[in-house]
């Protein structure tokens, strides 16, 4: 997909130059950016990581340098690897079967948005098939997602690791980010693009984003006296 | 899926939703779950505005359940996905109890939820 093709051949020393071109020109969005600049992506990820550490949610930041990355600026492509130790995210037909999911958040050059890669294993190390993964998609979304030709879960080679992963196609990211970004802008409220994006796509594929990520920003009196983790 | 967990808090001009007794659930639906919280629904963008915006919703009701209710109320078709946002900053998980959301993000005695219909994943 476009993840490699747009980045290869890029020679400019100024990464800002490239990222500005990849986003729609200003004016067409009336000041509001629906995509995220690579620098902002990094910043958002760092904030997310800080919160993850506080919540012991298991996200980590990995800079991967490999032969695949060497053809373009390694700094532009970095990833978060979530290592859900004992993180049981869903069950298969046999309700006693425990599955282990691994989620990666990468930055898509083509779409200037985060993109979610994931894979799932049984505890014996058998990787799940696409069909089995579909059965773990939240029922709220499953039918629509399956009927949608572009916005679907596909098997893709991980751009950095070269291993088979599942990926949630990023082409509709702008569309579901637009309402919340608009709302936030109206209220002059800052939004962590990556975290907000994750809150939408995560549940689709079995990843729960704990509420505490959002309550840490604004502790409410009710929460302080009634500390129930989700 | 019954709509009985919601009741409007404003007088309705049109025919109100018929309230039937809530069927007992198999799991431990506590008395706490039955308590209702006030939810204010706000449309975003081109999404149709609900005539009744304020609803009393049982705490134990999930976001998904409320989302389905709104979708039916607005008569969205199968290709349209409803998104719900809290605090103008995130989408709550579909399995989240609205009661918990109210505890964390409610203000002035109500939980404000923004909803938007989208063709994303449609």
């Amino acid at each position: 997909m476009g993840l490699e093709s747009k980045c290869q051949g890029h020679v400019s020393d100024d990464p800002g130059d490239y990222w500005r071109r990849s986003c729609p020109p200003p004016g067409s969005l009336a000041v509001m950016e629906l995509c995220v600049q690579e620098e902002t992506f990094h910043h958002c990820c760092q904030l997310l990581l800080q919160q993850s550490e506080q919540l012991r949610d298991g996200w980590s930041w990995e800079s991967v340098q490999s032969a695949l990355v060497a053809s373009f600026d390694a700094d532009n492509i970095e990833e978060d690897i979530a290592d859900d130790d004992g993180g049981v995210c869903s069950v298969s037909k046999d309700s006693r079967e425990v599955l282990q999911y691994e989620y990666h958040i990468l930055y898509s050059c083509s779409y200037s948005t985060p993109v979610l890669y994931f894979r799932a294993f049984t505890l014996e190390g058998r990787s799940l098939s696409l069909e089995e993964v579909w059965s773990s998609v939240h029922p709220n979304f499953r039918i629509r997602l399956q009927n949608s030709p572009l916005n679907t879960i596909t098997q893709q080679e991980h751009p950095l690791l070269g291993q088979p992963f599942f990926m949630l196609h990023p082409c509709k990211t702008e569309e579901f980010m637009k309402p919340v970004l608009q709302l936030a802008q109206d209220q002059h409220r800052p939004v962590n693009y990556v975290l907000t994006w994750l809150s939408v796509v995560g549940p689709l594929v079995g990843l729960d984003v704990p509420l505490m990520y959002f309550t840490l920003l604004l502790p409410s009196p009710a929460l302080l006296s009634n500390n129930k983790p989700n | 899926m019954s709509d009985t967990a919601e009741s409007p808090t404003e007088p309705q001009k049109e025919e109100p939703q018929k309230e039937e007794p809530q069927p007992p659930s198999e799991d431990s639906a506590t008395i706490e779950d039955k308590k209702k919280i006030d939810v204010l629904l706000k449309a975003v963008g081109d999404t149709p505005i609900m005539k009744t915006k304020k609803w009393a919703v049982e705490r134990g009701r999930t976001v998904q359940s409320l989302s389905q209710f709104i979708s039916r109320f607005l008569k969205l078709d199968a290709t349209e996905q409803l998104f719900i946002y809290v605090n103008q900053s995130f989408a709550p998980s579909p399995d989240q109890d609205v009661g918990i959301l109210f505890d964390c993000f409610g203000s002035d005695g109500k939980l404000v939820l923004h909803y938007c219909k989208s063709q994303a994943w449609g």
Side-chain angles (χ1 to χ4, degrees), chain A residues 80-226:
Chain A
D80 275 330
I81 298 177
D83 204 13
D84 272 328
D85 288 40
V88 180
C89 300
S90 80
V91 293
S92 70
K93 293 163 252 189
D94 176 2
S95 64
R96 285 169 299 164
E97 188 174 342
V98 167
L99 301 173
Q100 185 168 349
Y101 275 70
E102 187 182 325
Y103 299 94
H104 296 208
I105 300 176
L106 277 75
Y107 184 72
S108 164
C109 303
S110 323
Y111 293 94
S112 297
T113 62
V115 59
L116 190 66
Y117 283 76
F118 66 99
R119 56 185 175 182
F121 302 97
T122 64
L123 288 185
E124 288 83 34
R126 176 180 73 81
S127 59
L128 258 60
S129 68
L130 187 56
E131 249 180 43
E132 286 168 306
V133 162
W134 271 116
S135 70
S136 74
V137 171
H138 198 284
N140 199 30
F141 305 103
R142 192 181 304 159
I143 292 171
R144 287 188 198 88
L145 211 63
Q146 272 178 317
N147 289 340
S148 173
L150 292 177
N151 301 294
T152 195
I153 297 169
T154 56
Q155 271 178 305
Q156 289 274 330
E157 192 178 279
H158 191 292
L160 301 174
L161 302 179
Q163 294 163 17
F165 269 69
F166 297 107
M167 180 203 74
L168 189 62
H169 204 281
C171 68
K172 289 290 188 174
T173 301
E174 281 191 17
E175 192 156 339
F176 65 73
M177 287 300 289
K178 184 175 172 184
V180 66
L181 291 173
Q182 181 69 69
L183 287 169
Q185 191 186 47
D186 290 348
Q187 307 263 332
H188 307 288
R189 181 187 285 273
V191 162
N192 181 328
Y193 191 105
V194 176
L195 192 53
T196 298
W197 162 85
L198 192 62
S199 74
V200 176
V201 300
L204 293 173
V205 293
L207 175 63
D208 183 49
V209 181
L211 266 190
M212 293 289 278
Y213 274 102
F214 308 102
T215 58
L216 282 178
L217 301 171
L218 327 138
S220 74
L223 182 66
L224 292 171
S225 61
N226 185 23

